[in-house]
Amino acid sequence: MASRTTQTVVRFSAPFRLPDIDTVQPAGDYRVDHDEETIEGASWLAWRRVGAFIHLPAIGMRGPTQQMVPINPADLDAALERDKQP
């Protein structure tokens, strides 16, 4: 089974919290890795997301450590939607 990792950058305009992370994160741009694997038996190439990781701290911010934290993609999508609310 083939696998791949794609990286995106998400932007939060306000501090946010994700259930998988203990602390509130500041506003900023964050790298997110999406791990995917091919779907067997399809007659065309299709990918299924099997994991996601957010890089902490935000791009351009200094912290005592750099880390990749596993997250639920649905939780990330919900946090981004909340961030769009006025």
Side-chain angles (χ1 to χ4, degrees), residues 57-66:
I59 297 170
M61 292 188 175
R62 294 191 182 264
T65 61
Q66 298 279 326

Side-chain angles (χ1 to χ4, degrees), residues 27-61:
D29 295 334
Y30 290 83
R31 280 190 289 277
V32 177
D33 291 346
H34 301 277
D35 291 344
E36 301 169 313
E37 63 186 17
T38 56
I39 297 174
E40 297 281 330
S43 58
W44 63 92
L45 185 59
W47 297 90
R48 170 180 49 226
R49 186 180 298 162
V50 294
F53 300 85
I54 191 167
H55 294 251
L56 300 177
I59 297 170
M61 292 188 175

Side-chain angles (χ1 to χ4, degrees), residues 4-35:
R4 70 179 182 186
T5 299
T6 57
Q7 190 174 83
T8 60
V9 174
V10 297
R11 173 172 288 167
F12 286 94
S13 58
F16 68 98
R17 178 183 280 281
L18 292 173
D20 301 323
I21 302 173
D22 294 335
T23 59
V24 173
Q25 299 301 308
D29 295 334
Y30 290 83
R31 280 190 289 277
V32 177
D33 291 346
H34 301 277
D35 291 344

